[in-house]
Amino acid sequence: MSISLTPLERKAYEIIRKSGKNGILQSELWRILGVDSREGSRIALRLLKKGLIEREPVVHNGKRTYRLMLKEEKGIDINIDLVINIPCFTCSQYLRCGEGSYLNPVTCPKLTKWILSEVRKRKQ
Ligand code: SF4
């Protein structure tokens, strides 16, 4: 998936990314970007809508503001046990299998069965 960003949004995203897990205060981001709070808020909202960042309300110097941080990826937890059990690694047809071939990952019953069993395990 590709998300298009304006140059200013990209710059803001990079600053937020470099701020790490603790994130960065909105006002600090505006200062670094050299934009006013109105323009800065618009940039943050666009990054929020695109699902790239999240914000947390905080009080700083007695004022309510937001801390901005990259959105945590909540995908599948990949570990070596999961990868090792992919049937392709031990499949005798591995060298004959591929896109456009009779044997391919899209129609393979062995691979489909394995994927479905992993999905079922995660739902339990
Ligand atoms: S997709 Fe199926 S046939 Fe192809 S290598 Fe994997 S397990 Fe073997």
Side-chain angles (χ1 to χ4, degrees):
M1 180 180 71
S2 133
I3 297 172
S4 74
L5 298 175
T6 66
L8 212 48
E9 287 169 0
R10 183 165 299 284
K11 194 172 171 187
Y13 177 80
E14 280 306 312
I15 293 167
I16 296 167
R17 187 180 65 76
K18 285 178 185 164
S19 70
K21 282 190 169 186
N22 292 332
I24 186 169
L25 291 172
Q26 276 197 158
S27 54
E28 181 65 7
L29 179 65
W30 316 157
R31 191 187 60 72
I32 297 170
L33 285 174
V35 298
D36 61 24
S37 61
R38 192 173 166 164
E39 175 63 10
S41 293
R42 283 194 194 129
I43 293 167
L45 283 176
R46 288 199 298 264
L47 292 176
L48 268 170
K49 279 186 181 172
K50 291 176 183 178
L52 297 172
I53 64 166
E54 48 196 1
R55 65 182 185 179
E56 170 188 296
V58 291
V59 176
H60 181 71
N61 290 339
K63 291 181 182 173
R64 286 169 47 176
T65 182
Y66 289 103
R67 183 173 294 282
L68 308 172
M69 58 213 78
L70 283 197
K71 190 168 184 174
E72 271 186 47
E73 294 291 333
K74 294 185 175 75
I76 294 175
D77 184 20
I78 302 291
N79 61 45
I80 193 70
D81 292 333
L82 175 67
V83 175
I84 268 178
N85 291 321
I86 294 174
C88 306
F89 291 146
T90 53
C91 179
S92 60
Q93 304 300 320
Y94 180 76
L95 294 176
R96 294 175 52 210
C97 179
E99 194 179 333
S101 299
Y102 174 73
L103 290 171
N104 65 74
V106 176
T107 60
C108 174
K110 221 180 342 180
L111 185 58
T112 303
K113 187 177 168 190
W114 177 80
I115 291 169
L116 291 176
S117 78
E118 288 301 316
V119 169
R120 260 184 244 115
K121 279 186 213 164
R122 280 159 209 289
K123 282 184 178 173
Q124 293 170 354

